[in-house]
Amino acid sequence: MTMPRPVRLFHITAIDNLETICRQGSLLSKTKSQQLGLQYHNIAHSGAQGARAIKSVNNPPGGLVHEFVPFYFAPRSPMLSAIHNGTVQNCNYEQTDIMYFETTIENALHNGLQDFVFYDRNATLDYSQCFTDLNLLASSVDWLTMTESPRLDGFCKYFMNSHANPRYVDRGEKRQAEFLIKEQVPLNWMTRIGVANEDKATEARSALAQNNINLTVDVMTDWYFWGQ
């Protein structure tokens, strides 16, 4: 399967975090947020966060995973599914409370992207492979698994592991392949925000307007779990 162009990137967070994000004008890494004393509503597994806090990436650019802003290559991630199914400890959000920031690698490069890495699967795994050469992106991410039929907005609607087919025994972790951008990502690099319904779109547009940020907000039902 050929890598899609442009290469889309998706970052999820709680809509409750949007006001703080807007005031900073950027998505910030976990480390940068802590250095600034910012408090965000957490939507992540605590075990995964612990692993990301100590795992190093390739040098250059160097640093720990938590020093980077994480993006997935597809929506409807296993992470959002876990939130939807209530399996993230101490996270009381429903999927409708989660929003997406979308951009593309091409857009980020145009805006001056320099320090980044990407992984062939979930970066927290000991055996995940880290890359820094974009020429390897097409061969390092399993684009067939990511984009095969049946699709929703260009991405396979299925992502869970299945031992009935050898191709799918690690499909979940491959779906969580990551593109990590060091320290911060300005909001003007984003192409849009995606939300679950019109009520959340109104909420997001209000926060953006109050902070004088011009960013499109679209209702993207294909990015959520509605039994499609």
Side-chain angles (χ1 to χ4, degrees):
M1 173 65 70
T2 302
M3 180 177 69
R5 293 286 192 176
V7 182
R8 298 164 69 187
L9 302 174
F10 303 86
H11 176 91
I12 61 173
T13 189
I15 295 179
D16 284 347
N17 291 327
L18 182 56
E19 182 68 33
T20 301
I21 292 169
C22 287
R23 288 198 298 267
Q24 299 304 311
S26 297
L27 294 174
L28 302 180
S29 69
K30 183 80 168 179
T31 298
K32 184 69 171 179
S33 299
Q34 291 173 339
Q35 289 171 346
L36 294 174
L38 301 175
Q39 298 294 322
Y40 290 100
H41 298 274
N42 180 57
I43 62 170
H45 291 291
S46 59
Q49 292 301 294
R52 298 173 81 87
I54 61 174
K55 183 170 183 175
S56 298
V57 307
N58 289 1
N59 187 16
L64 304 173
V65 171
H66 259 178
E67 295 175 38
F68 292 75
V69 180
F71 291 85
Y72 291 131
F73 291 102
R76 281 173 58 95
S77 66
M79 185 69 245
L80 182 64
S81 177
I83 294 169
H84 174 51
N85 290 302
T87 59
V88 180
Q89 189 175 8
N90 298 320
C91 177
N92 297 318
Y93 287 119
E94 299 179 359
Q95 67 166 343
T96 53
D97 300 315
I98 305 304
M99 60 176 286
Y100 288 85
F101 285 95
E102 182 182 8
T103 188
T104 66
I105 291 179
E106 291 82 354
N107 192 46
L109 289 169
H110 177 75
N111 281 283
L113 172 66
Q114 292 185 345
D115 293 333
F116 64 88
V117 298
F118 56 94
Y119 283 84
D120 64 335
R121 61 193 69 218
N122 190 325
T124 62
L125 298 171
D126 291 340
Y127 51 88
S128 61
Q129 296 187 60
C130 184
F131 302 87
T132 59
D133 183 355
L134 285 176
N135 292 317
L136 299 176
L137 183 61
S139 59
S140 58
V141 172
D142 187 346
W143 294 107
L144 175 59
T145 294
M146 202 80 73
T147 61
E148 66 186 344
S149 297
R151 301 183 188 94
L152 293 169
D153 191 26
F155 300 96
C156 185
K157 65 181 289 185
Y158 301 122
F159 57 83
M160 302 306 291
N161 295 341
S162 172
H163 293 281
N165 186 328
R167 276 195 56 229
Y168 299 147
V169 294
D170 55 357
R171 180 166 57 176
E173 61 195 49
K174 287 182 175 179
R175 180 63 172 246
Q176 294 181 91
E178 301 183 52
F179 192 89
L180 308 179
I181 299 177
K182 195 159 192 180
E183 196 168 274
Q184 64 184 52
V185 185
L187 293 185
N188 61 13
W189 290 20
M190 299 301 125
T191 53
R192 62 175 164 178
I193 284 173
V195 295
N197 56 46
E198 286 294 345
D199 287 342
K200 297 301 182 181
T202 298
E203 184 178 343
R205 289 174 186 135
S206 176
L208 294 171
Q210 290 171 17
N211 289 275
N212 297 311
I213 293 175
N214 183 21
L215 191 56
T216 298
V217 179
D218 289 332
V219 175
M220 300 300 298
T221 54
D222 282 352
W223 296 359
Y224 295 84
F225 298 97
W226 302 117
Q228 304 101 310

